[in-house]
Amino acid sequence: MQRSLTFFTTLKPIVGRFLSLDVRPFGLCIIAGLTMFPLFVNVQEVQAKEALNLSQAISFALAEHPEMSVFGHQRKALDAKVKQAAVLPRPTIDFTIEDAMGTGTHSNFGAAQSTLSIAWVLEQRAIEKRVDAATNAVTQIDFDIEIKALDISAYTAKLFIESLILEQRLQLAELAEQQADSALSAIRRRVEAGKSLSIEQLQSKAELVRRSLEVEDLEHELEASRYQLVAQWGGEVSDYVPQGELLNIPVVKDLPSQLAKLQAHPALLAFANKQRIAQSQIELARIEARPKWQVSAGIRRYEATDDFGLVAGISIPFGNDSRSLGEVQVIQAQQAEYQSQADVLTRKLNTQLFVLLQNMKHSKHVIDTLTEQVIPLLEKATEEASKAYDIGRIGYLEWTSIRQELLSTQAQLLDAYQAIHLQHIEIQRLTGTSLSN
């Protein structure tokens, strides 16, 4: 069974919501063009590459990830052990000669007796228990597969989110670079007209260089992030462009319902399965320790009378199954250890789940506060600062500081969106959620 993580698939660029461009009079003519620029670039990129949503990325990763292929080999090995456990023991053929090559009447083969017999051990019940134990061991692979599938799905989802966030950061940085460039052009004209000092032009040029450097850094980070993503299935980074809707805030049910889901986590089920495997091993050890009957049958020839006779026998070892006591106690101790490990894991998962739910609530509060209160206020402050700078009531540094505060807050909003999606992914991994939209 493959498990993956619920997510989203539609494309909706969000940079326009984050970035408020400089509304000074000299910048009004380029606002519309700059706002549409990132969307145009994104559409062109989607047309040149294959659009990739998270569901596809997870499917590709689970199908082609080299760690998943390991389980196929392990399953083949365990299936072979099941077949081996069903193999019957080899019968024993025995041939004996008696009363020959002695003295007197037994000095030759005239009085000899020769017996040809076949013997086999009766252990059908032991074979059945061996098969049961080997079959139960195979089931453990299924839980290992589910656990690894959850881990790969979560890791792929995190890379996918990182790629989307970096794309939005890049678009935000590109708009900031365009803003800095337009500001530099306007300030250059003001300096030429004698309305501004040349120091403001130098400061604006330095700001443009810093913004250009930030764009370059984010381009490298985005390329590396996309490479890590497609490397999950051995794809080419030039063939895909991730698409997703970051504004869709995931909704998680209350703590009790999430705690109930934890009981179905494959890691916990795996411990319960290990206890069942151990129980079958206990039963097998007890049966293996019991005395095994051996029966034989054959034919005997009497040389003296030229006659034949049938022979049969049964061998019953003495003793009981007490020699398995130590092995049984070892396995019982392992059972208790599995139960303790399951209890420890349950408490750990419960704690992690509670913390993640609280963090999601906080991230949602941060998003709402920044979107509804802080950013609108900073947008208004930036607008007023632009007007004040245009008429000379504030200086360049003060005006730039207000603009940078808005950009910083918009980046903080991206951080909050990234955090809430990563927290949701981890909750899904902990609860073993298996749906992928």
Side-chain angles (χ1 to χ4, degrees), residues 115-142:
T115 305
L116 178 65
S117 62
I118 182 171
W120 58 93
V121 178
L122 300 178
E123 56 174 357
Q124 183 61 37
R125 189 175 180 187
I127 292 175
E128 292 175 355
K129 290 300 179 181
R130 289 186 201 132
V131 172
D132 290 343
T135 302
N136 290 336
V138 176
T139 60
Q140 191 64 27
I141 292 294
D142 295 330

Side-chain angles (χ1 to χ4, degrees), residues 62-260:
L62 292 177
E64 302 295 337
H65 201 286
E67 291 188 38
M68 295 301 293
S69 63
V70 173
F71 295 107
H73 302 305
Q74 292 178 351
R75 182 183 291 279
K76 289 181 180 178
L78 291 175
D79 288 340
K81 289 184 178 181
V82 173
K83 294 180 181 179
Q84 184 63 36
V87 175
L88 296 173
R90 293 181 179 180
T92 302
I93 297 178
D94 183 42
F95 179 72
T96 60
I97 298 177
E98 303 176 48
D99 300 333
M101 304 302 291
T103 60
T105 58
H106 301 288
S107 61
N108 52 33
F109 286 93
Q113 300 179 44
S114 55
T115 305
L116 178 65
S117 62
I118 182 171
W120 58 93
V121 178
L122 300 178
E123 56 174 357
Q124 183 61 37
R125 189 175 180 187
I127 292 175
E128 292 175 355
K129 290 300 179 181
R130 289 186 201 132
V131 172
D132 290 343
T135 302
N136 290 336
V138 176
T139 60
Q140 191 64 27
I141 292 294
D142 295 330
F143 295 104
D144 293 340
I145 291 175
E146 291 187 49
I147 293 171
K148 179 56 67 175
L150 281 174
D151 291 341
I152 291 176
S153 298
Y155 182 65
T156 303
K158 290 176 182 178
L159 292 176
F160 192 91
I161 284 290
E162 180 182 330
S163 180
L164 293 181
I165 289 291
L166 284 173
E167 182 181 358
Q168 295 302 318
R169 291 189 191 282
L170 176 59
Q171 294 185 26
L172 186 63
E174 288 173 340
L175 287 180
E177 181 186 28
Q178 292 284 345
Q179 177 180 283
D181 183 65
S182 63
L184 176 59
S185 299
I187 291 174
R188 184 182 295 114
R189 291 193 296 269
R190 289 171 60 90
V191 170
E192 293 174 354
K195 295 181 180 181
S196 295
L197 299 176
S198 59
I199 188 174
E200 293 183 355
Q201 182 177 345
L202 295 175
Q203 291 173 322
S204 180
K205 188 174 182 179
E207 174 68 12
L208 176 59
V209 173
R210 284 196 296 266
R211 294 300 179 186
S212 299
L213 183 59
E214 182 180 357
V215 169
E216 183 181 357
D217 290 341
L218 287 171
E219 287 175 344
H220 292 310
E221 289 186 38
L222 178 59
E223 186 72 11
S225 177
R226 288 181 175 179
Y227 182 87
Q228 287 181 290
L229 176 63
V230 301
Q232 297 289 298
W233 60 87
E236 295 292 336
V237 68
S238 58
D239 295 338
Y240 303 95
V241 54
Q243 295 183 63
E245 175 52 86
L246 291 173
L247 294 182
N248 284 346
I249 298 178
V251 178
V252 178
K253 295 182 180 180
D254 56 8
L255 180 61
S257 63
Q258 294 300 316
L259 289 175

Side-chain angles (χ1 to χ4, degrees), residues 20 42 65 78 100 105 121 127 185 236 240 246 279 295 330 342 366 373 383 409 411 414 418:
S20 173
N42 204 344
H65 201 286
L78 291 175
T105 58
V121 178
I127 292 175
S185 299
E236 295 292 336
Y240 303 95
L246 291 173
Q279 186 61 41
V295 297
V330 170
V366 171
Q373 300 181 42
E383 179 181 354
T409 305
L414 274 177
Q418 182 178 15

Side-chain angles (χ1 to χ4, degrees), residues 344-369:
V344 171
L345 180 59
T346 299
R347 292 188 181 183
K348 180 180 178 180
L349 293 178
N350 288 349
T351 303
Q352 290 179 336
L353 182 59
F354 177 82
V355 173
L356 284 169
L357 288 173
Q358 297 305 309
N359 289 342
M360 278 197 68
K361 291 180 180 179
H362 175 67
S363 297
K364 177 66 165 57
H365 176 68
V366 171
I367 290 173
D368 292 341
T369 302

Side-chain angles (χ1 to χ4, degrees), residues 5 47 59-60 73 123 182 184 213 283 291 311 320 327 337 360 386 429:
L5 301 171
Q47 292 175 348
S59 297
F60 292 157
H73 302 305
E123 56 174 357
S182 63
L184 176 59
L213 183 59
E283 296 175 3
V311 294
N320 52 40
E327 183 178 358
E337 180 183 352
M360 278 197 68
S386 298
R429 189 183 70 84

